[in-house]
Amino acid sequence: MTSARIRLHPVPTVFSGTILYPIDHSAGILADLGGILQDSPDELTVDVGFLPGPDGKPTVYVAPTWSGDPDVGNAENGPVRTLARLGTPVLAEVGPVARSATLAATDALFPPGRMGAIRTRTVQSVTGSIATVLDRAVREFTSPFSAIVWHQFQGAATRPPLSSTAFGRREPHLMVELISMWENGEKQDHHTGSGDGRSSHLRWLEPEQMTTRRPKG
């Protein structure tokens, strides 16, 4: 690719937030989420994964963003608040917010000076054996800053013909992001699982351990 044309769309306010569930309920929550997200409208995007909670223990992370009609997003029985009723959350903070604020919150997780290693895997869904692998991986976090998050690719982005753009994958899928973060001065090997042979959540997601699909075409 030597050039790109990007069309911007104004999205001043979205209905978004963070919902955390106890890790012990991950199997049921992930199963429920799979059914909900499979039929979700284009206006809804949900990042899901595992993060350390307020007490440092792993939690199931659900971060919905509704970019459609604010009244629908804010409705008590709407798609966002439904995600906060999959169980008893440790934390549930959702509401109208500027899109720029949600991006700034993500940037705050990566302050200058903090070290990190990030790997990605593409999967069709997080179910069965993959969910089990991820659950085992999160229990090996070596830092309170580490995380596993997967991002949806669905809806309008899947509809253009594969040959119409330089993007090599158009069917619905998930991109699993494996984030190992630690403070500067700590030993990298301790957090990445290399060198001294220590376990790390990164090692659980080597390519042969994941069910992946190659791009078509």
Side-chain angles (χ1 to χ4, degrees):
M1 181 187 299
T2 59
S3 65
R5 179 177 297 175
I6 299 172
R7 182 186 302 169
L8 300 180
H9 301 271
V11 184
T13 302
V14 295
F15 196 81
S16 186
T18 298
I19 306 164
L20 301 179
Y21 288 102
I23 188 66
D24 292 341
H25 301 167
S26 64
I29 290 170
L30 294 183
D32 291 342
L33 277 171
I36 293 172
L37 300 184
Q38 185 174 2
D39 300 320
S40 63
D42 289 358
E43 294 87 349
L44 180 66
T45 299
V46 185
D47 288 341
V48 183
F50 298 102
L51 291 178
D55 60 356
K57 295 180 180 179
T59 63
V60 181
Y61 166 75
V62 182
T65 297
W66 175 265
S67 59
D69 184 337
D71 291 336
V72 175
N74 197 30
E76 187 62 30
N77 294 321
V80 174
R81 295 193 186 278
T82 297
L83 295 173
R85 294 195 292 267
L86 300 178
T88 302
V90 175
L91 172 74
E93 295 181 347
V94 294
V97 63
R99 182 60 176 138
S100 57
T102 65
L103 297 174
T106 300
D107 291 343
L109 299 176
F110 303 91
R114 187 170 291 170
M115 311 302 288
I118 299 177
R119 299 177 186 174
T120 62
R121 297 286 181 264
T122 300
V123 300
Q124 199 65 23
S125 62
V126 177
T127 57
S129 61
I130 294 178
T132 299
V133 168
L134 292 172
D135 185 80
R136 294 178 68 184
V138 72
R139 298 174 191 276
E140 294 194 353
F141 279 165
T142 56
S143 166
F145 311 117
S146 295
I148 298 174
V149 181
W150 50 95
H151 309 276
Q152 287 178 287
F153 186 92
Q154 63 172 42
T158 67
R159 297 182 190 127
L162 183 63
S163 60
S164 67
T165 72
F167 190 79
R169 190 177 190 128
R170 286 292 174 185
E171 74 271 19
H173 63 273
L174 301 173
M175 189 271 281
V176 181
E177 193 172 18
L178 314 157
I179 307 168
S180 184
M181 302 289 294
W182 62 93
E183 295 289 13
N184 191 12
E186 297 179 2
K187 291 185 177 180
Q188 175 177 331
D189 290 348
H190 174 69
H191 299 286
T192 61
S194 60
D196 62 1
R198 289 185 60 87
S199 295
S200 164
H201 74 282
L202 293 181
R203 77 176 177 85
W204 285 106
L205 291 112
E206 293 303 316
E208 64 272 13
Q209 293 176 290
M210 301 295 285
T211 301
T212 60
R213 292 178 61 183
R214 294 183 179 276
K216 297 177 181 178

